[in-house]
């Protein structure tokens, strides 16, 4: 009796992902992370790049959740 559903693979070799393929995505993810941290943590008052308080209010709950000083 064969049990094909629980058969183990004959080869477990996994091809490594080259660093050159990961690097652009890592840089992109890092920039997005920094941009997010800026908008959540510093988009207010003197460090504000966008006029008005829309961005600040939009991320306000996240700002308090992450412990950034606010009001
Ligand atoms: Zn607040």
């Amino acid at each position: 009796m064969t049990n094909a559903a629980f058969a183990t693979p004959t080869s477990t070799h996994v091809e490594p992902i080259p660093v050159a393929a990961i690097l652009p995505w890592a840089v992109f993810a890092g920039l997005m992370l920094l941009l997010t941290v800026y908008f959540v943590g510093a988009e207010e008052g003197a460090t504000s790049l966008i006029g008005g308080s829309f961005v600040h209010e939009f991320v306000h709950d996240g700002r308090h959740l992450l412990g950034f000083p606010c009001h």
Side-chain angles (χ1 to χ4, degrees), residues 56 60 63-64 70-71:
H56 176 79
H60 193 247
R63 187 180 183 94
H64 282 271
C70 188
H71 50 81

Side-chain angles (χ1 to χ4, degrees), residues 25-54:
W25 292 104
V27 170
F28 177 72
L31 287 174
M32 290 297 108
L33 178 67
L34 287 175
L35 196 63
T36 301
V37 168
Y38 166 75
F39 277 115
V40 172
E43 174 63 26
E44 181 183 24
T47 59
S48 179
L49 295 177
I50 300 172
S53 61
F54 174 76

Side-chain angles (χ1 to χ4, degrees), residues 40 55-68 70:
V40 172
V55 175
H56 176 79
E57 295 299 330
F58 188 73
V59 298
H60 193 247
D61 290 343
R63 187 180 183 94
H64 282 271
L65 178 70
L66 296 174
F68 285 101
C70 188

